[in-house]
Amino acid sequence: MIDTLRIPAMSSSALQTTGESNNHSLKNGEMYADGINWDDLGFGLIPIDYMYTMKCSDGENFSQGHLSPFGKIELCPSAGILNYGQGLFEGLKATRTEDGRIMLFRPQENALRMKMGAERMCMPSPSVEQFVDAVKQTVFANKRWVPPPGKGSLYIRPLLVGSGSNLGLGPGLEYTFLIFASPVGNYHKGRAALNLYVEHKIHRATPGGTGGVKSVTNYSPVYQTQQQARAKGFSDVLFLDSATGKNIEEIVAANIFILKGNVISTPTLKHGTILPGVTRKSIIDIALDFGYQVEERVIPVEDLLAADEAFCTGTAVVVNPIGAVTYQDKRVEYKTGGALCQKLYETLTGIQTGRLEDKKGWTLEVN
Ligand code: COI
């Protein structure tokens, strides 16, 4: 059996003394990594100290994961991920509280979503416990990279990929679960209100396809549309359903919500074309607590155009206002100034950063 992915393992004792995988010096006991301008974090990769890897082969379960210095990985050219896109990713964040603790937000939800996606993509997956433990280990080993309170978060990117050698079509025999992470700030600079282009020709997902799981193959096919929209001055793209072309579905990296009166609506998950966002699910709960009526339903594009307010949610974007949408030759600007969006954002991030009491048990401390 070819060892298709080679990464040098590192024992946890080595974590105390080495880790020169990037240009930043590692000093024991230091609270924050040096050489970083914490006030100016964007959403890009900053290579940090450690990543986590766990493999499974020949039909066995995942076991014996390990931390290693962050660095390149080696894959067989015939690996399932490279040839046939057999892969999933997740995204979650670790946030620092005012009193210096480090909190994860609902990591079990990401673990469960990865399990669901793995089933669709014919891959074995780590158990929820393995997933959460691996995330905790990764964050703990990289805790100097969790930004100071209010400056951003550590974005954690778990991957599950077919790393086995595979030429014929079909699931391979080896799979790799890998986690890397990076300090990040806002996904959209300054959380500025988005100027969205509603794409009516190209579709992101189809009923029966993989739009409802976090397959790596869902993302690069939107680049072309995104680039074209950006060239015309739009900040992002909203896709319509492929079955009728009449209903709003998803933004490139986020779920969408609209407000009309006291009713908040978001596209239904039931056609399998919408990613079941962890932030989406949390915002639905928070909005219900605030006394809004929340509907998960088919949303005609006309309802978006007639809404009082629109905003989007996601781990990366958190809760971001939408300032305007353009559908064919019609442009609509929202008038509330994102008041609901801001209220939901404050509540969600309040829970995530320990500013507000976590009555729902959503946060998990890393220590
Ligand atoms: C996330 O919010 O974690 C995402 O997956 C967005 C990513 C495509 C940037």
Side-chain angles (χ1 to χ4, degrees):
M1 161 100 219
I2 307 170
D3 183 6
T4 47
L5 190 151
R6 269 180 234 112
I7 296 164
M10 175 167 279
S11 70
S12 54
S13 60
L15 292 180
Q16 313 303 318
T17 52
T18 59
E20 294 178 349
S21 56
N22 51 47
N23 294 327
H24 309 280
S25 62
L26 198 161
K27 294 178 197 143
N28 284 337
E30 187 186 71
M31 183 131 176
Y32 295 110
D34 57 11
I36 297 288
N37 180 358
W38 297 110
D39 291 315
D40 195 28
L41 289 173
F43 197 89
L45 182 76
I46 296 173
I48 63 171
D49 298 329
Y50 300 105
M51 60 188 191
Y52 179 95
T53 310
M54 181 164 55
K55 288 214 258 187
C56 115
S57 45
D58 296 330
E60 288 168 11
N61 291 329
F62 277 98
S63 63
Q64 292 184 328
H66 64 267
L67 290 158
S68 59
F70 177 84
K72 293 189 175 160
I73 61 173
E74 203 172 274
L75 276 174
C76 179
S78 64
I81 179 65
L82 294 180
N83 292 262
Y84 303 125
Q86 194 187 23
L88 295 165
F89 73 92
E90 274 300 326
L92 65 161
K93 283 177 173 169
T95 317
R96 205 179 284 272
T97 61
E98 286 295 337
D99 59 3
R101 289 171 301 135
I102 297 174
M103 310 300 276
L104 290 166
F105 186 71
R106 309 187 79 177
Q108 300 87 347
E109 293 289 333
N110 298 87
L112 288 166
R113 188 168 66 183
M114 180 169 267
K115 277 188 93 56
M116 190 180 80
E119 219 166 275
R120 175 68 178 82
M121 303 294 283
C122 287
M123 295 191 283
S125 57
S127 68
V128 172
E129 294 71 28
Q130 284 174 318
F131 181 104
V132 174
D133 179 59
V135 168
K136 285 172 86 173
Q137 283 192 48
T138 309
V139 173
F140 190 76
N142 290 298
K143 60 180 194 267
R144 298 180 321 132
W145 301 91
V146 181
K151 305 285 184 191
S153 47
L154 185 72
Y155 182 79
I156 303 147
R157 176 51 69 83
L159 300 170
L160 177 63
V161 300
S163 51
S165 170
N166 215 26
L167 192 55
L169 268 185
L173 290 176
E174 185 195 288
Y175 295 86
T176 299
F177 174 67
L178 191 152
I179 304 179
F180 67 92
S182 175
V184 297
N186 291 322
Y187 187 76
H188 294 291
K189 210 171 169 42
R191 276 187 68 247
L194 303 182
N195 173 19
L196 282 188
Y197 177 73
V198 182
E199 171 59 52
H200 58 279
K201 292 195 182 120
I202 307 274
H203 298 285
R204 175 193 167 272
T206 51
T210 58
V213 299
K214 218 160 167 57
S215 166
V216 298
T217 54
N218 292 344
Y219 291 83
S220 57
V222 307
Y223 290 172
Q224 187 188 40
T225 315
Q226 193 182 41
Q227 281 186 346
Q228 286 165 355
R230 286 195 173 148
K232 289 183 199 150
F234 294 101
S235 37
D236 223 326
V237 178
L238 170 65
F239 289 92
L240 300 177
D241 78 298
S242 61
T244 71
K246 292 182 173 156
N247 307 310
I248 63 170
E249 288 214 318
E250 197 165 320
I251 302 172
V252 165
N255 296 117
I256 185 164
F257 285 79
I258 61 170
L259 169 72
K260 186 77 182 171
N262 190 48
V263 182
I264 297 176
S265 305
T266 191
T268 173
L269 303 177
K270 78 173 180 220
H271 304 300
T273 50
I274 307 283
L275 188 79
V278 178
T279 312
R280 175 188 181 279
K281 186 171 175 177
S282 309
I283 286 299
I284 290 174
D285 277 1
I286 293 171
L288 288 169
D289 287 351
F290 276 135
Y292 290 93
Q293 184 180 328
V294 181
E295 294 181 352
E296 294 178 72
R297 63 176 173 95
V298 170
I299 304 180
V301 70
E302 287 73 23
D303 289 11
L304 169 71
L305 301 177
D308 299 332
E309 186 173 327
F311 58 91
C312 61
T313 65
T315 298
V317 303
V318 193
V319 188
N320 203 102
I322 295 171
V325 295
T326 299
Y327 172 59
Q328 301 196 354
D329 54 2
K330 189 160 184 191
R331 179 183 155 90
V332 167
E333 285 180 18
Y334 298 103
K335 303 281 181 268
T336 66
L340 168 64
C341 172
Q342 189 59 22
K343 184 161 98 168
L344 295 170
Y345 172 82
E346 294 293 343
T347 307
L348 180 74
T349 55
I351 296 170
Q352 289 171 336
T353 58
R355 226 180 333 105
L356 297 178
E357 189 189 346
D358 175 14
K359 294 184 184 150
K360 297 177 188 293
W362 282 346
T363 53
L364 180 67
E365 188 171 342
V366 176
N367 49 29

